[in-house]
Amino acid sequence: MKVGNQKATCKKVITMNGLNGHSNGDHNGAGDILTQNQQRGWWTIGLINSKYRYLTAETFGFKINANGTSLKKKQIWTLEPVSGNANECLIYLRSHLDKYLAVDSFGNVTCESEEKEPGSKFHISVSEDNSGRWALKNVERGYFLGSSSDKLSCTAKVPGDAELWHVHLAARPQMNLRSIGRKRFAHLSESLDEIHVDANVPWGEDTLFTLEFRIDEGGKYALHTCNNKYLSAGGKLQDQCTSTCLFSAEYHSGALALRDGTGAYLAPIGSKAVLKTRSTAVTRDELFSLEDSLPQAAFIAGLNDKYVSVKQGVDVTANQDEISSHETFQLEFDWATRRWYIRTMQDRYWTLETGGGIQASGDNKSSNALFELEWQGDGAVAFRANNGKYLMTKRSGHLYANSDTIDENCKYYFYLINRPILVLKCEQGFVGPKGVKLECNKANYETIQVIRGPKGAVYFKGQNGKYWNADSESVMCDSDSPQGFHLELREPTRLAIRSATTREYLAAAKNGNFRLASADLSSATQWEY
């Protein structure tokens, strides 16, 4: 899959999950546009030309250009592999309007048809100059897709600078990383200085990674860990992102390969499966899929200030003082009922039993395993079971669904465990700083450290080491003392953020400003995280 002297080679590999492990029902937007009929191996991407402008499909007139300055809805393209084809590099490109990019018999580039045509098929090659840029050769015409000013063309027999594109992955930046070859997930090592790829399931904060796209570093990617470090090609984690922490993204039959500046690929190496670069060839060992990191939470019972746990067996009981895997639960959304399944690390679901008791005994998603989450405004949530009753904590710590109203015994303070680092996005863009003021219309994101406080409160800390300070005018990242917020999970990938003192929600404005608005949920922005 290299471009150079018109040579390009592709190896057959097994198709696995692509970069689109999004939940059905997501809203439209960059990184959030996948539909229920998406298949494995499909990526959502942005394509950036040599002038650092995005390939854009305009909303009206089916016009296309390369004038986009950031990755938003019009700059999103779905990369679809050609089905039933042994060549891993053959793909279609579909716009946000569900039209296919194509080249006609005269070399004109169009994007008007909802049907795949002979001129819609492209072959991906990767530049040999280690820039990681892609060349897209139209299969029907035999020429490469290029751009100059606002005009697209397909007339070059050999790709030059105008025909090479940086690839901006539009998958959510925070994800779990799964090795195709080892069939295991990556996690932070116990020594906190390496990434090991040997976890059977992605559980807890140590399996969360942020894939940072760095356009100012030549469109390369950095792998950011939950302890605020960066993976280097040699396998060690570093405090700062240097040139050895930058990788190019390559497409191989729907899977991802990450190549360092010397041309070597990341892979799990040795008995510890340490993630580092070694081979300059791509096999199954060098391939990964990016999987959605589903929300995982811990709950403190309002009655006794103990964590809800399944450590003692099948009974769901609030009786632990610390958080381990037994006190961490995965929340899985059911779009049909807008209720939640609550899953344990042992692949069991909280289930309503006869008599109202709650046990982690269900091995499938029955109606009695569905719970409605009702947020109380103070960092706590109440669970409504399938019998219409609210869960409450008995003096023994056992959870029962037998309350008609919500009191302190029915409150469970919520912590989002697997987001120690947060990336926030709204319709206007990502949250990031302009000086010490935060805005929500940034093309690139900045990671936010999340520090747990008492009774469901969290504190947000910026990369400058200062805490967030929000009021009715703005949000600043300039405080030495923390201000408390509460997170309210509204959908699998969206949450509302509420002030712990005023109980007002953070709301975004079209000009990029955001601030505390009101305590009414209808005024709240539901942030993609």
Side-chain angles (χ1 to χ4, degrees):
M1 283 188 27
K2 301 287 187 289
V3 170
N5 299 324
Q6 291 184 275
K7 293 181 180 179
T9 59
C10 290
K11 293 183 179 180
K12 179 78 172 85
V13 296
I14 304 299
T15 300
M16 297 294 289
N17 281 344
L19 297 166
N20 60 345
H22 302 274
S23 303
N24 292 341
D26 285 354
H27 299 277
N28 286 339
D32 202 11
I33 64 168
L34 297 176
T35 58
Q36 296 186 26
N37 63 352
Q38 292 279 24
Q39 302 173 18
R40 292 181 176 184
W42 295 23
W43 290 15
T44 49
I45 62 172
L47 290 169
I48 307 171
N49 69 7
S50 59
K51 305 296 184 184
Y52 291 93
R53 291 292 185 264
Y54 285 85
L55 182 65
T56 301
E58 300 294 351
T59 306
F60 301 104
F62 306 120
K63 293 181 179 180
I64 50 173
N65 57 57
N67 293 335
T69 57
S70 63
L71 184 64
K72 294 188 177 178
K73 185 175 181 179
K74 293 190 292 185
Q75 288 76 36
I76 290 287
W77 296 83
T78 300
L79 184 157
E80 300 179 14
V82 175
S83 60
N85 196 293
N87 190 329
E88 65 175 48
C89 308
L90 291 182
I91 56 100
Y92 301 103
L93 285 170
R94 183 164 53 83
S95 76
H96 68 102
L97 299 172
D98 287 332
K99 309 293 183 182
Y100 285 94
L101 194 72
V103 180
D104 66 19
S105 57
F106 300 102
N108 299 313
V109 183
T110 64
C111 193
E112 300 180 0
S113 176
E114 294 182 2
E115 302 297 328
K116 301 181 180 81
E117 302 171 348
S120 307
K121 195 179 298 181
F122 291 87
H123 179 276
I124 298 174
S125 304
V126 179
S127 171
E128 286 186 337
D129 62 5
N130 265 342
S131 68
R133 290 184 293 175
W134 292 11
L136 298 168
K137 185 178 183 178
N138 187 262
V139 175
E140 183 78 2
R141 287 272 300 167
Y143 295 104
F144 288 88
L145 178 70
S147 67
S148 58
S149 184
D150 61 350
K151 183 180 180 182
L152 295 172
S153 61
C154 194
T155 55
K157 292 184 177 180
V158 178
D161 207 38
E163 286 76 38
L164 293 175
W165 302 82
H166 291 293
V167 179
H168 187 170
L169 302 179
R172 290 187 186 88
Q174 293 190 294
M175 43 71 190
N176 302 131
L177 189 66
R178 182 181 184 272
S179 167
I180 301 297
R182 301 228 178 184
K183 298 180 181 178
R184 295 292 185 272
F185 288 90
H187 67 95
L188 189 63
S189 67
E190 290 186 7
S191 58
L192 306 180
D193 64 346
E194 294 178 333
I195 296 174
H196 294 174
V197 190
D198 58 2
N200 290 323
V201 293
W203 208 261
E205 61 186 34
D206 290 351
T207 61
L208 180 75
F209 299 94
T210 307
L211 195 62
E212 294 185 359
F213 179 68
R214 294 178 168 249
I215 189 61
D216 55 345
E217 312 250 15
K220 301 293 181 68
Y221 290 85
L223 200 60
H224 193 182
T225 61
C226 68
N227 62 340
N228 211 23
K229 295 181 183 294
Y230 291 91
L231 177 68
S232 67
K236 291 298 181 181
L237 299 181
Q238 300 181 175
D239 291 329
Q240 302 296 325
C241 182
T242 65
S243 59
T244 63
C245 302
L246 298 175
F247 304 91
S248 302
E250 292 186 7
Y251 179 92
H252 294 261
S253 274
L256 172 72
L258 292 169
R259 188 179 70 176
D260 69 14
T262 70
Y265 292 88
L266 278 178
I269 306 298
S271 59
K272 291 185 177 179
V274 178
L275 189 61
K276 58 184 178 179
T277 61
R278 184 176 67 178
S279 174
T280 56
V282 176
T283 68
R284 286 170 57 87
D285 285 341
E286 287 72 36
L287 294 178
F288 298 89
S289 60
L290 302 185
E291 311 279 340
D292 251 0
S293 178
L294 297 178
Q296 293 174 355
F299 306 100
I300 294 179
L303 174 70
N304 59 15
D305 290 330
K306 301 287 187 181
Y307 285 100
V308 176
S309 176
V310 290
K311 188 174 185 178
Q312 59 284 334
V314 297
D315 288 344
V316 180
T317 309
N319 63 358
Q320 296 297 311
D321 294 319
E322 296 180 350
I323 301 173
S324 73
S325 59
H326 298 291
E327 291 75 46
T328 303
F329 303 98
Q330 184 160 287
L331 299 172
E332 301 175 3
F333 196 61
D334 179 64
W335 284 98
T337 63
R338 301 194 68 83
R339 293 188 289 172
W340 298 82
Y341 298 103
I342 304 173
R343 187 176 191 165
T344 73
M345 191 183 182
Q346 291 74 32
D347 282 338
R348 294 290 184 265
Y349 292 93
W350 290 17
T351 302
L352 175 66
E353 303 292 335
T354 304
I358 304 298
Q359 292 189 337
S361 58
D363 58 2
N364 55 38
K365 294 180 175 181
S366 69
S367 59
N368 277 337
L370 283 169
F371 297 87
E372 184 178 350
L373 271 55
E374 296 188 11
W375 298 96
Q376 301 304 298
D378 58 356
V381 64
F383 299 98
R384 194 170 191 172
N386 200 41
N387 62 358
K389 305 286 187 180
Y390 292 100
L391 268 59
M392 64 176 296
T393 309
K394 296 288 190 181
R395 292 193 178 277
S396 63
H398 289 83
L399 270 59
Y400 275 81
N402 58 5
S403 179
D404 292 316
T405 58
I406 299 172
D407 58 19
E408 194 64 23
N409 290 354
C410 301
K411 288 185 176 182
Y412 299 90
Y413 293 94
F414 167 87
Y415 291 108
L416 189 59
I417 294 301
N418 61 338
R419 290 297 187 279
I421 290 178
L422 203 59
V423 171
L424 293 175
K425 180 180 172 294
C426 63
E427 289 184 1
Q428 283 71 44
F430 289 102
V431 170
K434 184 178 182 180
V436 296
K437 183 179 180 180
L438 293 173
E439 296 181 341
C440 60
N441 59 354
K442 300 299 184 183
N444 297 312
Y445 43 82
E446 183 176 84
T447 52
I448 305 155
Q449 289 182 263
V450 181
I451 300 167
R452 289 199 292 269
K455 288 192 175 294
V458 294
Y459 312 124
F460 297 137
K461 182 184 278 190
Q463 292 298 306
N464 62 358
K466 300 292 186 178
Y467 290 100
W468 282 26
N469 178 29
D471 57 29
S472 60
E473 298 295 327
S474 63
V475 180
M476 309 294 285
C477 188
D478 62 354
S479 178
D480 292 323
S481 57
Q483 178 180 352
F485 296 91
H486 292 138
L487 304 179
E488 298 180 357
L489 198 60
R490 295 293 172 177
E491 288 181 5
T493 60
R494 292 180 181 269
L495 49 79
I497 301 174
R498 203 167 194 173
S499 166
T501 51
T502 67
R503 298 199 178 184
E504 295 170 320
Y505 287 103
L506 282 176
K510 289 185 178 180
N511 64 0
N513 187 49
F514 71 113
R515 60 186 181 86
L516 293 179
S518 79
D520 187 351
L521 180 62
S522 63
S523 72
T525 295
Q526 295 197 18
W527 302 90
E528 185 183 340
Y529 69 95

